[in-house]
Amino acid sequence: VQLQASGGGLVQAGGSLRLSCAASGRAIRNSVMGWFRQGPGKEREFVAAIWRTGTTTRYADSVKGRFTISRDNAKNTMYLQMNNLKPEDTAVYYCAIDFGAILSADWTREDQYDYWGQGTQVTVSS
C-alpha cells in the first residue's frame, strides 16, 4: 500500500488549502484514515480521522470548526479541507491508514495506523 499526500503550499493567515491523500495497492473502503502533522521543533500530533463510511469523524481540538476531513472510497482518496489557517498550523502533514480499525479504537494514536504517506508541507504566513 502506498499513500501519496499532496496539496500543501504557502498561504496567508486566514486562507484555505485542501490536502489530498491518494491510496494505491489496496482499496480503502474498510479502513480508518487519518491526518497527522509535525510542526517545526514539535512532535507529530493527531489532526483528524475518518471512519470507513465517512459517517464518523474525530478532530483535534485545535482544528475543530476550521478543518473538515472527508473521503471518497470510489476514488481511493481522503481529503482535508483547511479553512481559516493560522501560523500555528504550519507543519508537514501526513496521511495514514488503518485497515484493522474498529469504531471504538483510539484513532488519535499513531501506532493504530499501518501505513503512512510521505508528507506535504503547509506553511501559513502571518
Side-chain angles (χ1 to χ4, degrees), residues 13-67:
S16 299
L17 283 174
R18 188 193 195 203
L19 305 184
S20 298
C21 176
S24 60
R26 185 170 173 179
I28 67 170
R29 60 182 178 274
N30 292 322
S31 72
V32 164
M33 297 189 75
W35 289 99
F36 290 74
R37 67 185 182 186
Q38 186 168 18
K42 299 179 181 179
E43 295 187 351
R44 191 157 59 183
E45 63 177 0
F46 170 77
V47 176
I50 187 166
W51 179 245
R52 303 175 182 183
T53 57
T55 53
T56 301
T57 57
R58 295 178 186 165
Y59 293 94
D61 288 342
S62 59
V63 307
K64 279 181 183 176
R66 300 188 298 122
F67 290 11

Side-chain angles (χ1 to χ4, degrees), residues 36-99:
F36 290 74
R37 67 185 182 186
Q38 186 168 18
K42 299 179 181 179
E43 295 187 351
R44 191 157 59 183
E45 63 177 0
F46 170 77
V47 176
I50 187 166
W51 179 245
R52 303 175 182 183
T53 57
T55 53
T56 301
T57 57
R58 295 178 186 165
Y59 293 94
D61 288 342
S62 59
V63 307
K64 279 181 183 176
R66 300 188 298 122
F67 290 11
T68 303
I69 190 171
S70 62
R71 65 193 291 163
D72 185 337
N73 289 343
K75 294 183 178 180
N76 239 34
T77 302
M78 172 182 65
Y79 306 96
L80 185 69
Q81 178 66 43
M82 306 186 295
N83 297 330
N84 191 21
L85 282 160
K86 304 176 181 180
E88 51 264 43
D89 295 318
T90 295
V92 177
Y93 284 71
Y94 299 90
C95 57
I97 191 166
D98 174 8
F99 286 105

Side-chain angles (χ1 to χ4, degrees), residues 113-125:
Y113 295 85
D114 304 310
Y115 299 94
W116 292 78
Q118 84 293 354
T120 185
Q121 176 71 46
V122 172
T123 303
V124 184
S125 63

